[in-house]
Amino acid sequence: MKCSGAAYIYTIGCQMNVYDSQRLMSILKSSGYEETKVLEDADIVVCNTCTIRHKAQEKAYSFLGRLGKLKKKKPHLISVIAGCVAQQDGKNALKRLPYIDIVIGTQSFSNFAKLIDQVKKGRSKIVDIEPQDMIFEIMPDVSDVIDKGRSRFVTIMQGCENFCTYCVVPYVRGKEKSRTPEAILKEIELLGSSGIKEITLLGQNVNSYGIKENNISFAQLLKKVNHIDSIKRIRFATSYPKDLSDELIFAIRDLEKVCMHLHLPVQSGSDRILKRMNRGYTKADYFSKIEKLKKECPGIAISTDLIVGFPSETKDEFNETLDLMKQVEFDSVFAFAYSDRPIAPAAKFSGKVDDQEKSLRLNELFLLQDYYTDKNNKKLIGKIEPVLVEGKSKKTMRTPGDAEENMKKTIQMTGRTESNKIVHFAGDNIEQGRVVDIKIEQAYPHSLWGTLAGA
Ligand code: SAM
Ligand code: SF4
């Protein structure tokens, strides 16, 4: 095929967007483009956007502003806004950025190649944000897999129908739809045969996988993935607390490749706020799931998402979130200051908390979490942990007790434990993607230090 030029994709947002960008790049490559990592070299630029919080949306518009300047110098450049902001703003994106050629929503990727063709033939300003019933399937491009030790994302379902009152996802990613097990397994087998060892299955609520389609359950899907020889580790995100079933807890316990780590977003420790968020569970429901999880899967790492300063959240209610953190002792948390999203119902809620108060609460929360992260990391000292090797460490870490001259001779490698903690260790160029046993010697706030067990 004749080369169409160079393609550059700028990705903002979550793991699902990273996955979507890989799919968009596959389409571009099948349309004759080659990937470039240099924006100025590109003949087509895609900005794959996120609108979960105001800041993410502004990051997209700021990048697209820079793109406008490039387009002036390079008028043949095709400029594309894709994903959640495109879906949300549609035609209005063109009002703000008149030099954009294509606005393509989250469910229209199947039309991408056709739209590029139309622009090349002279059609201008195309907006495609029509919801689709079918999930667009395209096999990932594995021609240049380099990071064999890193997790590759595989989206197993799209959309969300939980309608949490703060969240844009149900509006910009549409109705919940699950991919077929056959399509998912075929994709994972392809990734495995190209050397990938770990995959992360993605969905906004993986616990409801296949229910609408009357297909196999998520736990049954995990069992099938567990049988794929080339894959050594399985992760998944995100589990929704109200739908976390016993079947899934047992699958985490029994399937050897499923990592002992669960991301279970709670959002708040106050029942009144949880109700206002429309989360569909209480603090007590959450605790009982955590209790069961810890009983069935001893040592499991648990992480969560939290929002501070949701409309009308009082200081006491915020303190209930801190209390919940003290009770669960999370391994890590992703916490965010509530951000008004005009299309989500909470934007109209009364009792907005001011920005300064939100950042004070956020800082207090992070300080508390540092204590528990440190505590959980220290529990691993002296233990032998299987670590999936990602490659050479970028940072040179001081080997505890090691002299400067020895440091220079020691190659620092890096990898991850099942609980997703970063481990640096002294190793001699160990192959990416291998799982090695590491004795944990030291724990730091954001990483662990260890040595090869038995070395
Ligand atoms: N589906 C997942 C769940 O419900 O747990 C999470 C999806 S969302 C992409 C990731 C996180 O962003 C949420 O868990 C929530 O903590 C945060 N988030 C979503 N909307 C937000 C908003 N308006 N302001 C602040 N944080 C928000
Ligand atoms: Fe958003 Fe709630 Fe759906 Fe998660 S479950 S994507 S927070 S609406």
Side-chain angles (χ1 to χ4, degrees), residues 133-135 137 155-159 161 175-184 202-203 205-218 221:
D133 287 335
M134 297 284 290
I135 295 188
E137 292 288 350
T155 293
I156 62 165
M157 56 205 295
Q158 292 182 352
E161 287 168 31
K175 291 204 171 117
E176 190 177 281
K177 291 181 226 99
S178 296
R179 292 176 69 197
T180 63
E182 294 74 25
I184 296 166
L202 299 178
N205 177 10
V206 291
N207 303 341
S208 61
Y209 170 80
I211 293 176
K212 272 174 92 179
E213 290 77 9
N214 205 11
N215 219 319
I216 61 171
S217 68
F218 181 58
L221 179 70

PDB file of all heavy atoms in Angstrom, residues 133-135 137 155-159 161 175-184 202-203 205-218 221:
ATOM      1  N   ASP A 133     -24.948   0.409  17.782  1.00  0.00           N
ATOM      2  CA  ASP A 133     -25.374  -0.763  18.558  1.00  0.00           C
ATOM      3  C   ASP A 133     -24.248  -1.786  18.680  1.00  0.00           C
ATOM      4  O   ASP A 133     -24.128  -2.478  19.674  1.00  0.00           O
ATOM      5  CB  ASP A 133     -26.572  -1.446  17.888  1.00  0.00           C
ATOM      6  CG  ASP A 133     -27.817  -0.603  18.085  1.00  0.00           C
ATOM      7  OD1 ASP A 133     -27.849   0.162  19.074  1.00  0.00           O
ATOM      8  OD2 ASP A 133     -28.724  -0.669  17.234  1.00  0.00           O
ATOM      9  N   MET A 134     -23.454  -1.868  17.622  1.00  0.00           N
ATOM     10  CA  MET A 134     -22.411  -2.904  17.568  1.00  0.00           C
ATOM     11  C   MET A 134     -21.097  -2.363  18.133  1.00  0.00           C
ATOM     12  O   MET A 134     -20.805  -1.186  17.999  1.00  0.00           O
ATOM     13  CB  MET A 134     -22.143  -3.293  16.103  1.00  0.00           C
ATOM     14  CG  MET A 134     -23.320  -3.916  15.405  1.00  0.00           C
ATOM     15  SD  MET A 134     -23.535  -5.603  15.925  1.00  0.00           S
ATOM     16  CE  MET A 134     -22.119  -6.379  15.160  1.00  0.00           C
ATOM     17  N   ILE A 135     -20.312  -3.253  18.711  1.00  0.00           N
ATOM     18  CA  ILE A 135     -18.965  -2.862  19.135  1.00  0.00           C
ATOM     19  C   ILE A 135     -18.032  -3.075  17.944  1.00  0.00           C
ATOM     20  O   ILE A 135     -18.080  -4.120  17.293  1.00  0.00           O
ATOM     21  CB  ILE A 135     -18.487  -3.715  20.323  1.00  0.00           C
ATOM     22  CG1 ILE A 135     -19.378  -3.441  21.545  1.00  0.00           C
ATOM     23  CG2 ILE A 135     -17.025  -3.442  20.647  1.00  0.00           C
ATOM     24  CD1 ILE A 135     -18.902  -4.071  22.825  1.00  0.00           C
ATOM     25  N   GLU A 137     -14.837  -4.065  16.131  1.00  0.00           N
ATOM     26  CA  GLU A 137     -13.744  -4.994  16.444  1.00  0.00           C
ATOM     27  C   GLU A 137     -12.591  -4.784  15.478  1.00  0.00           C
ATOM     28  O   GLU A 137     -12.787  -4.744  14.268  1.00  0.00           O
ATOM     29  CB  GLU A 137     -14.220  -6.452  16.299  1.00  0.00           C
ATOM     30  CG  GLU A 137     -15.244  -6.883  17.331  1.00  0.00           C
ATOM     31  CD  GLU A 137     -14.656  -7.053  18.730  1.00  0.00           C
ATOM     32  OE1 GLU A 137     -13.422  -7.012  18.873  1.00  0.00           O
ATOM     33  OE2 GLU A 137     -15.446  -7.224  19.685  1.00  0.00           O
ATOM     34  N   THR A 155      -9.970  -4.001  26.350  1.00  0.00           N
ATOM     35  CA  THR A 155     -11.309  -3.573  26.766  1.00  0.00           C
ATOM     36  C   THR A 155     -12.295  -4.706  26.494  1.00  0.00           C
ATOM     37  O   THR A 155     -12.340  -5.232  25.386  1.00  0.00           O
ATOM     38  CB  THR A 155     -11.710  -2.285  26.015  1.00  0.00           C
ATOM     39  OG1 THR A 155     -10.859  -1.228  26.470  1.00  0.00           O
ATOM     40  CG2 THR A 155     -13.151  -1.899  26.303  1.00  0.00           C
ATOM     41  N   ILE A 156     -13.051  -5.102  27.515  1.00  0.00           N
ATOM     42  CA  ILE A 156     -13.993  -6.215  27.334  1.00  0.00           C
ATOM     43  C   ILE A 156     -15.430  -5.713  27.225  1.00  0.00           C
ATOM     44  O   ILE A 156     -16.317  -6.446  26.838  1.00  0.00           O
ATOM     45  CB  ILE A 156     -13.865  -7.260  28.471  1.00  0.00           C
ATOM     46  CG1 ILE A 156     -14.191  -6.644  29.853  1.00  0.00           C
ATOM     47  CG2 ILE A 156     -12.490  -7.885  28.482  1.00  0.00           C
ATOM     48  CD1 ILE A 156     -14.433  -7.692  30.929  1.00  0.00           C
ATOM     49  N   MET A 157     -15.647  -4.457  27.619  1.00  0.00           N
ATOM     50  CA  MET A 157     -16.999  -3.897  27.519  1.00  0.00           C
ATOM     51  C   MET A 157     -16.930  -2.382  27.393  1.00  0.00           C
ATOM     52  O   MET A 157     -15.941  -1.766  27.798  1.00  0.00           O
ATOM     53  CB  MET A 157     -17.849  -4.309  28.715  1.00  0.00           C
ATOM     54  CG  MET A 157     -17.254  -3.948  30.041  1.00  0.00           C
ATOM     55  SD  MET A 157     -17.842  -5.000  31.379  1.00  0.00           S
ATOM     56  CE  MET A 157     -19.558  -4.577  31.440  1.00  0.00           C
ATOM     57  N   GLN A 158     -17.968  -1.819  26.812  1.00  0.00           N
ATOM     58  CA  GLN A 158     -18.012  -0.365  26.636  1.00  0.00           C
ATOM     59  C   GLN A 158     -19.172   0.218  27.428  1.00  0.00           C
ATOM     60  O   GLN A 158     -20.110  -0.486  27.761  1.00  0.00           O
ATOM     61  CB  GLN A 158     -18.261  -0.045  25.160  1.00  0.00           C
ATOM     62  CG  GLN A 158     -17.116  -0.407  24.269  1.00  0.00           C
ATOM     63  CD  GLN A 158     -17.392  -0.027  22.823  1.00  0.00           C
ATOM     64  OE1 GLN A 158     -18.492   0.375  22.467  1.00  0.00           O
ATOM     65  NE2 GLN A 158     -16.386  -0.168  21.985  1.00  0.00           N
ATOM     66  N   GLY A 159     -19.098   1.522  27.666  1.00  0.00           N
ATOM     67  CA  GLY A 159     -20.225   2.251  28.243  1.00  0.00           C
ATOM     68  C   GLY A 159     -20.477   1.957  29.708  1.00  0.00           C
ATOM     69  O   GLY A 159     -19.745   1.208  30.353  1.00  0.00           O
ATOM     70  N   GLU A 161     -24.057   2.097  32.653  1.00  0.00           N
ATOM     71  CA  GLU A 161     -25.442   2.498  32.923  1.00  0.00           C
ATOM     72  C   GLU A 161     -25.682   2.704  34.406  1.00  0.00           C
ATOM     73  O   GLU A 161     -26.796   2.588  34.891  1.00  0.00           O
ATOM     74  CB  GLU A 161     -26.400   1.455  32.338  1.00  0.00           C
ATOM     75  CG  GLU A 161     -26.428   1.557  30.833  1.00  0.00           C
ATOM     76  CD  GLU A 161     -27.114   0.402  30.145  1.00  0.00           C
ATOM     77  OE1 GLU A 161     -28.043  -0.186  30.725  1.00  0.00           O
ATOM     78  OE2 GLU A 161     -26.715   0.096  29.011  1.00  0.00           O
ATOM     79  N   LYS A 175     -24.428   3.337  26.208  1.00  0.00           N
ATOM     80  CA  LYS A 175     -24.987   2.184  26.924  1.00  0.00           C
ATOM     81  C   LYS A 175     -23.932   1.099  27.113  1.00  0.00           C
ATOM     82  O   LYS A 175     -23.032   0.961  26.305  1.00  0.00           O
ATOM     83  CB  LYS A 175     -26.143   1.609  26.107  1.00  0.00           C
ATOM     84  CG  LYS A 175     -27.341   2.523  26.062  1.00  0.00           C
ATOM     85  CD  LYS A 175     -28.598   1.704  25.790  1.00  0.00           C
ATOM     86  CE  LYS A 175     -29.816   2.574  25.956  1.00  0.00           C
ATOM     87  NZ  LYS A 175     -30.572   2.727  24.725  1.00  0.00           N
ATOM     88  N   GLU A 176     -24.138   0.319  28.195  1.00  0.00           N
ATOM     89  CA  GLU A 176     -23.197  -0.766  28.471  1.00  0.00           C
ATOM     90  C   GLU A 176     -23.338  -1.871  27.418  1.00  0.00           C
ATOM     91  O   GLU A 176     -24.453  -2.324  27.147  1.00  0.00           O
ATOM     92  CB  GLU A 176     -23.504  -1.324  29.853  1.00  0.00           C
ATOM     93  CG  GLU A 176     -22.467  -2.280  30.354  1.00  0.00           C
ATOM     94  CD  GLU A 176     -22.804  -2.749  31.768  1.00  0.00           C
ATOM     95  OE1 GLU A 176     -22.552  -1.996  32.715  1.00  0.00           O
ATOM     96  OE2 GLU A 176     -23.323  -3.863  31.893  1.00  0.00           O
ATOM     97  N   LYS A 177     -22.215  -2.280  26.839  1.00  0.00           N
ATOM     98  CA  LYS A 177     -22.201  -3.371  25.845  1.00  0.00           C
ATOM     99  C   LYS A 177     -20.968  -4.216  26.095  1.00  0.00           C
ATOM    100  O   LYS A 177     -19.881  -3.682  26.301  1.00  0.00           O
ATOM    101  CB  LYS A 177     -22.047  -2.815  24.416  1.00  0.00           C
ATOM    102  CG  LYS A 177     -23.220  -2.056  23.881  1.00  0.00           C
ATOM    103  CD  LYS A 177     -22.925  -1.601  22.451  1.00  0.00           C
ATOM    104  CE  LYS A 177     -23.297  -0.183  22.246  1.00  0.00           C
ATOM    105  NZ  LYS A 177     -22.490   0.877  22.263  1.00  0.00           N
ATOM    106  N   SER A 178     -21.141  -5.542  26.077  1.00  0.00           N
ATOM    107  CA  SER A 178     -19.978  -6.419  26.295  1.00  0.00           C
ATOM    108  C   SER A 178     -19.533  -7.032  24.979  1.00  0.00           C
ATOM    109  O   SER A 178     -20.369  -7.405  24.142  1.00  0.00           O
ATOM    110  CB  SER A 178     -20.349  -7.559  27.243  1.00  0.00           C
ATOM    111  OG  SER A 178     -20.675  -7.038  28.510  1.00  0.00           O
ATOM    112  N   ARG A 179     -18.232  -7.179  24.827  1.00  0.00           N
ATOM    113  CA  ARG A 179     -17.704  -7.886  23.659  1.00  0.00           C
ATOM    114  C   ARG A 179     -17.938  -9.382  23.844  1.00  0.00           C
ATOM    115  O   ARG A 179     -18.088  -9.852  24.977  1.00  0.00           O
ATOM    116  CB  ARG A 179     -16.196  -7.640  23.512  1.00  0.00           C
ATOM    117  CG  ARG A 179     -15.850  -6.236  23.165  1.00  0.00           C
ATOM    118  CD  ARG A 179     -14.338  -6.053  23.130  1.00  0.00           C
ATOM    119  NE  ARG A 179     -13.706  -6.752  22.030  1.00  0.00           N
ATOM    120  CZ  ARG A 179     -12.401  -7.020  21.956  1.00  0.00           C
ATOM    121  NH1 ARG A 179     -11.604  -6.659  22.950  1.00  0.00           N
ATOM    122  NH2 ARG A 179     -11.887  -7.641  20.925  1.00  0.00           N
ATOM    123  N   THR A 180     -17.894 -10.135  22.756  1.00  0.00           N
ATOM    124  CA  THR A 180     -18.092 -11.581  22.898  1.00  0.00           C
ATOM    125  C   THR A 180     -16.823 -12.202  23.500  1.00  0.00           C
ATOM    126  O   THR A 180     -15.712 -11.698  23.267  1.00  0.00           O
ATOM    127  CB  THR A 180     -18.351 -12.262  21.533  1.00  0.00           C
ATOM    128  OG1 THR A 180     -17.182 -12.085  20.731  1.00  0.00           O
ATOM    129  CG2 THR A 180     -19.563 -11.677  20.842  1.00  0.00           C
ATOM    130  N   PRO A 181     -16.985 -13.316  24.249  1.00  0.00           N
ATOM    131  CA  PRO A 181     -15.781 -13.981  24.790  1.00  0.00           C
ATOM    132  C   PRO A 181     -14.841 -14.392  23.659  1.00  0.00           C
ATOM    133  O   PRO A 181     -13.621 -14.292  23.798  1.00  0.00           O
ATOM    134  CB  PRO A 181     -16.336 -15.220  25.509  1.00  0.00           C
ATOM    135  CG  PRO A 181     -17.797 -15.016  25.636  1.00  0.00           C
ATOM    136  CD  PRO A 181     -18.228 -13.975  24.664  1.00  0.00           C
ATOM    137  N   GLU A 182     -15.398 -14.810  22.518  1.00  0.00           N
ATOM    138  CA  GLU A 182     -14.551 -15.272  21.404  1.00  0.00           C
ATOM    139  C   GLU A 182     -13.622 -14.154  20.938  1.00  0.00           C
ATOM    140  O   GLU A 182     -12.424 -14.361  20.743  1.00  0.00           O
ATOM    141  CB  GLU A 182     -15.416 -15.741  20.203  1.00  0.00           C
ATOM    142  CG  GLU A 182     -16.256 -16.982  20.454  1.00  0.00           C
ATOM    143  CD  GLU A 182     -17.485 -16.730  21.353  1.00  0.00           C
ATOM    144  OE1 GLU A 182     -17.964 -15.585  21.411  1.00  0.00           O
ATOM    145  OE2 GLU A 182     -17.941 -17.695  22.011  1.00  0.00           O
ATOM    146  N   ALA A 183     -14.197 -12.937  20.758  1.00  0.00           N
ATOM    147  CA  ALA A 183     -13.379 -11.813  20.261  1.00  0.00           C
ATOM    148  C   ALA A 183     -12.292 -11.461  21.281  1.00  0.00           C
ATOM    149  O   ALA A 183     -11.140 -11.187  20.925  1.00  0.00           O
ATOM    150  CB  ALA A 183     -14.272 -10.604  19.994  1.00  0.00           C
ATOM    151  N   ILE A 184     -12.670 -11.490  22.573  1.00  0.00           N
ATOM    152  CA  ILE A 184     -11.703 -11.131  23.624  1.00  0.00           C
ATOM    153  C   ILE A 184     -10.568 -12.154  23.671  1.00  0.00           C
ATOM    154  O   ILE A 184      -9.385 -11.801  23.704  1.00  0.00           O
ATOM    155  CB  ILE A 184     -12.420 -11.053  24.995  1.00  0.00           C
ATOM    156  CG1 ILE A 184     -13.466  -9.926  24.980  1.00  0.00           C
ATOM    157  CG2 ILE A 184     -11.430 -10.866  26.133  1.00  0.00           C
ATOM    158  CD1 ILE A 184     -14.449  -9.979  26.140  1.00  0.00           C
ATOM    159  N   LEU A 202     -10.438  -4.478  30.803  1.00  0.00           N
ATOM    160  CA  LEU A 202     -11.010  -3.184  31.169  1.00  0.00           C
ATOM    161  C   LEU A 202     -12.507  -3.077  30.907  1.00  0.00           C
ATOM    162  O   LEU A 202     -13.013  -3.572  29.895  1.00  0.00           O
ATOM    163  CB  LEU A 202     -10.353  -2.062  30.341  1.00  0.00           C
ATOM    164  CG  LEU A 202      -8.861  -1.834  30.476  1.00  0.00           C
ATOM    165  CD1 LEU A 202      -8.431  -0.723  29.522  1.00  0.00           C
ATOM    166  CD2 LEU A 202      -8.500  -1.471  31.909  1.00  0.00           C
ATOM    167  N   GLY A 203     -13.163  -2.396  31.822  1.00  0.00           N
ATOM    168  CA  GLY A 203     -14.578  -2.054  31.652  1.00  0.00           C
ATOM    169  C   GLY A 203     -14.929  -1.119  32.794  1.00  0.00           C
ATOM    170  O   GLY A 203     -14.238  -1.113  33.824  1.00  0.00           O
ATOM    171  N   ASN A 205     -17.453  -1.362  34.643  1.00  0.00           N
ATOM    172  CA  ASN A 205     -17.995  -2.208  35.703  1.00  0.00           C
ATOM    173  C   ASN A 205     -17.877  -3.657  35.237  1.00  0.00           C
ATOM    174  O   ASN A 205     -18.858  -4.248  34.777  1.00  0.00           O
ATOM    175  CB  ASN A 205     -19.460  -1.812  35.957  1.00  0.00           C
ATOM    176  CG  ASN A 205     -20.113  -2.680  36.998  1.00  0.00           C
ATOM    177  OD1 ASN A 205     -19.458  -3.462  37.679  1.00  0.00           O
ATOM    178  ND2 ASN A 205     -21.423  -2.573  37.123  1.00  0.00           N
ATOM    179  N   VAL A 206     -16.667  -4.209  35.351  1.00  0.00           N
ATOM    180  CA  VAL A 206     -16.427  -5.545  34.776  1.00  0.00           C
ATOM    181  C   VAL A 206     -17.329  -6.603  35.420  1.00  0.00           C
ATOM    182  O   VAL A 206     -17.587  -7.641  34.817  1.00  0.00           O
ATOM    183  CB  VAL A 206     -14.943  -5.972  34.888  1.00  0.00           C
ATOM    184  CG1 VAL A 206     -14.057  -5.147  33.989  1.00  0.00           C
ATOM    185  CG2 VAL A 206     -14.460  -5.965  36.318  1.00  0.00           C
ATOM    186  N   ASN A 207     -17.830  -6.310  36.628  1.00  0.00           N
ATOM    187  CA  ASN A 207     -18.664  -7.308  37.316  1.00  0.00           C
ATOM    188  C   ASN A 207     -19.980  -7.555  36.586  1.00  0.00           C
ATOM    189  O   ASN A 207     -20.629  -8.558  36.809  1.00  0.00           O
ATOM    190  CB  ASN A 207     -18.963  -6.865  38.743  1.00  0.00           C
ATOM    191  CG  ASN A 207     -17.701  -6.614  39.533  1.00  0.00           C
ATOM    192  OD1 ASN A 207     -16.651  -7.094  39.152  1.00  0.00           O
ATOM    193  ND2 ASN A 207     -17.790  -5.865  40.599  1.00  0.00           N
ATOM    194  N   SER A 208     -20.379  -6.623  35.734  1.00  0.00           N
ATOM    195  CA  SER A 208     -21.638  -6.881  35.016  1.00  0.00           C
ATOM    196  C   SER A 208     -21.353  -7.337  33.587  1.00  0.00           C
ATOM    197  O   SER A 208     -22.255  -7.326  32.738  1.00  0.00           O
ATOM    198  CB  SER A 208     -22.559  -5.660  35.057  1.00  0.00           C
ATOM    199  OG  SER A 208     -21.943  -4.572  34.439  1.00  0.00           O
ATOM    200  N   TYR A 209     -20.129  -7.814  33.339  1.00  0.00           N
ATOM    201  CA  TYR A 209     -19.776  -8.306  31.999  1.00  0.00           C
ATOM    202  C   TYR A 209     -20.773  -9.389  31.549  1.00  0.00           C
ATOM    203  O   TYR A 209     -21.074 -10.322  32.306  1.00  0.00           O
ATOM    204  CB  TYR A 209     -18.339  -8.891  31.982  1.00  0.00           C
ATOM    205  CG  TYR A 209     -18.064  -9.608  30.680  1.00  0.00           C
ATOM    206  CD1 TYR A 209     -17.726  -8.894  29.542  1.00  0.00           C
ATOM    207  CD2 TYR A 209     -18.220 -10.988  30.563  1.00  0.00           C
ATOM    208  CE1 TYR A 209     -17.536  -9.528  28.324  1.00  0.00           C
ATOM    209  CE2 TYR A 209     -18.027 -11.641  29.357  1.00  0.00           C
ATOM    210  CZ  TYR A 209     -17.690 -10.910  28.234  1.00  0.00           C
ATOM    211  OH  TYR A 209     -17.517 -11.548  27.036  1.00  0.00           O
ATOM    212  N   GLY A 210     -21.257  -9.268  30.333  1.00  0.00           N
ATOM    213  CA  GLY A 210     -22.044 -10.329  29.700  1.00  0.00           C
ATOM    214  C   GLY A 210     -23.478 -10.462  30.183  1.00  0.00           C
ATOM    215  O   GLY A 210     -24.246 -11.232  29.596  1.00  0.00           O
ATOM    216  N   ILE A 211     -23.877  -9.721  31.219  1.00  0.00           N
ATOM    217  CA  ILE A 211     -25.213  -9.929  31.799  1.00  0.00           C
ATOM    218  C   ILE A 211     -26.301  -9.546  30.783  1.00  0.00           C
ATOM    219  O   ILE A 211     -27.209 -10.335  30.510  1.00  0.00           O
ATOM    220  CB  ILE A 211     -25.371  -9.160  33.131  1.00  0.00           C
ATOM    221  CG1 ILE A 211     -24.448  -9.777  34.189  1.00  0.00           C
ATOM    222  CG2 ILE A 211     -26.837  -9.180  33.609  1.00  0.00           C
ATOM    223  CD1 ILE A 211     -24.415  -9.082  35.533  1.00  0.00           C
ATOM    224  N   LYS A 212     -26.167  -8.346  30.192  1.00  0.00           N
ATOM    225  CA  LYS A 212     -27.204  -7.914  29.237  1.00  0.00           C
ATOM    226  C   LYS A 212     -27.292  -8.850  28.036  1.00  0.00           C
ATOM    227  O   LYS A 212     -28.350  -9.077  27.483  1.00  0.00           O
ATOM    228  CB  LYS A 212     -26.864  -6.517  28.722  1.00  0.00           C
ATOM    229  CG  LYS A 212     -27.411  -5.406  29.569  1.00  0.00           C
ATOM    230  CD  LYS A 212     -26.906  -4.090  29.084  1.00  0.00           C
ATOM    231  CE  LYS A 212     -27.817  -3.448  28.078  1.00  0.00           C
ATOM    232  NZ  LYS A 212     -27.280  -2.135  27.640  1.00  0.00           N
ATOM    233  N   GLU A 213     -26.145  -9.362  27.638  1.00  0.00           N
ATOM    234  CA  GLU A 213     -26.092 -10.209  26.426  1.00  0.00           C
ATOM    235  C   GLU A 213     -26.419 -11.663  26.769  1.00  0.00           C
ATOM    236  O   GLU A 213     -26.426 -12.516  25.895  1.00  0.00           O
ATOM    237  CB  GLU A 213     -24.692 -10.148  25.797  1.00  0.00           C
ATOM    238  CG  GLU A 213     -24.326  -8.826  25.152  1.00  0.00           C
ATOM    239  CD  GLU A 213     -23.937  -7.731  26.153  1.00  0.00           C
ATOM    240  OE1 GLU A 213     -23.777  -8.050  27.354  1.00  0.00           O
ATOM    241  OE2 GLU A 213     -23.830  -6.562  25.730  1.00  0.00           O
ATOM    242  N   ASN A 214     -26.665 -11.929  28.080  1.00  0.00           N
ATOM    243  CA  ASN A 214     -26.935 -13.282  28.533  1.00  0.00           C
ATOM    244  C   ASN A 214     -25.791 -14.228  28.143  1.00  0.00           C
ATOM    245  O   ASN A 214     -26.003 -15.351  27.697  1.00  0.00           O
ATOM    246  CB  ASN A 214     -28.268 -13.756  27.934  1.00  0.00           C
ATOM    247  CG  ASN A 214     -28.881 -14.833  28.794  1.00  0.00           C
ATOM    248  OD1 ASN A 214     -28.405 -15.058  29.915  1.00  0.00           O
ATOM    249  ND2 ASN A 214     -29.890 -15.517  28.276  1.00  0.00           N
ATOM    250  N   ASN A 215     -24.588 -13.724  28.326  1.00  0.00           N
ATOM    251  CA  ASN A 215     -23.404 -14.487  27.961  1.00  0.00           C
ATOM    252  C   ASN A 215     -22.733 -15.029  29.225  1.00  0.00           C
ATOM    253  O   ASN A 215     -23.303 -14.921  30.309  1.00  0.00           O
ATOM    254  CB  ASN A 215     -22.453 -13.561  27.193  1.00  0.00           C
ATOM    255  CG  ASN A 215     -21.787 -14.295  26.058  1.00  0.00           C
ATOM    256  OD1 ASN A 215     -21.390 -15.438  26.206  1.00  0.00           O
ATOM    257  ND2 ASN A 215     -21.684 -13.637  24.928  1.00  0.00           N
ATOM    258  N   ILE A 216     -21.502 -15.527  29.119  1.00  0.00           N
ATOM    259  CA  ILE A 216     -20.830 -16.032  30.321  1.00  0.00           C
ATOM    260  C   ILE A 216     -20.549 -14.881  31.281  1.00  0.00           C
ATOM    261  O   ILE A 216     -20.489 -13.724  30.876  1.00  0.00           O
ATOM    262  CB  ILE A 216     -19.515 -16.792  29.985  1.00  0.00           C
ATOM    263  CG1 ILE A 216     -18.510 -15.871  29.278  1.00  0.00           C
ATOM    264  CG2 ILE A 216     -19.796 -18.034  29.163  1.00  0.00           C
ATOM    265  CD1 ILE A 216     -17.125 -16.506  29.118  1.00  0.00           C
ATOM    266  N   SER A 217     -20.353 -15.213  32.575  1.00  0.00           N
ATOM    267  CA  SER A 217     -20.099 -14.166  33.575  1.00  0.00           C
ATOM    268  C   SER A 217     -18.639 -13.730  33.507  1.00  0.00           C
ATOM    269  O   SER A 217     -17.803 -14.385  32.864  1.00  0.00           O
ATOM    270  CB  SER A 217     -20.388 -14.706  34.972  1.00  0.00           C
ATOM    271  OG  SER A 217     -19.422 -15.692  35.301  1.00  0.00           O
ATOM    272  N   PHE A 218     -18.324 -12.650  34.223  1.00  0.00           N
ATOM    273  CA  PHE A 218     -16.943 -12.174  34.231  1.00  0.00           C
ATOM    274  C   PHE A 218     -16.006 -13.228  34.841  1.00  0.00           C
ATOM    275  O   PHE A 218     -14.911 -13.472  34.331  1.00  0.00           O
ATOM    276  CB  PHE A 218     -16.836 -10.844  34.983  1.00  0.00           C
ATOM    277  CG  PHE A 218     -15.439 -10.315  35.002  1.00  0.00           C
ATOM    278  CD1 PHE A 218     -14.767 -10.058  33.813  1.00  0.00           C
ATOM    279  CD2 PHE A 218     -14.771 -10.099  36.197  1.00  0.00           C
ATOM    280  CE1 PHE A 218     -13.454  -9.589  33.814  1.00  0.00           C
ATOM    281  CE2 PHE A 218     -13.460  -9.632  36.203  1.00  0.00           C
ATOM    282  CZ  PHE A 218     -12.810  -9.384  35.013  1.00  0.00           C
ATOM    283  N   LEU A 221     -15.281 -15.745  32.327  1.00  0.00           N
ATOM    284  CA  LEU A 221     -14.342 -15.215  31.330  1.00  0.00           C
ATOM    285  C   LEU A 221     -12.908 -15.307  31.868  1.00  0.00           C
ATOM    286  O   LEU A 221     -11.980 -15.712  31.165  1.00  0.00           O
ATOM    287  CB  LEU A 221     -14.694 -13.761  30.982  1.00  0.00           C
ATOM    288  CG  LEU A 221     -13.768 -13.102  29.964  1.00  0.00           C
ATOM    289  CD1 LEU A 221     -13.955 -13.684  28.567  1.00  0.00           C
ATOM    290  CD2 LEU A 221     -13.991 -11.584  29.903  1.00  0.00           C
TER     291      LEU A 221
END
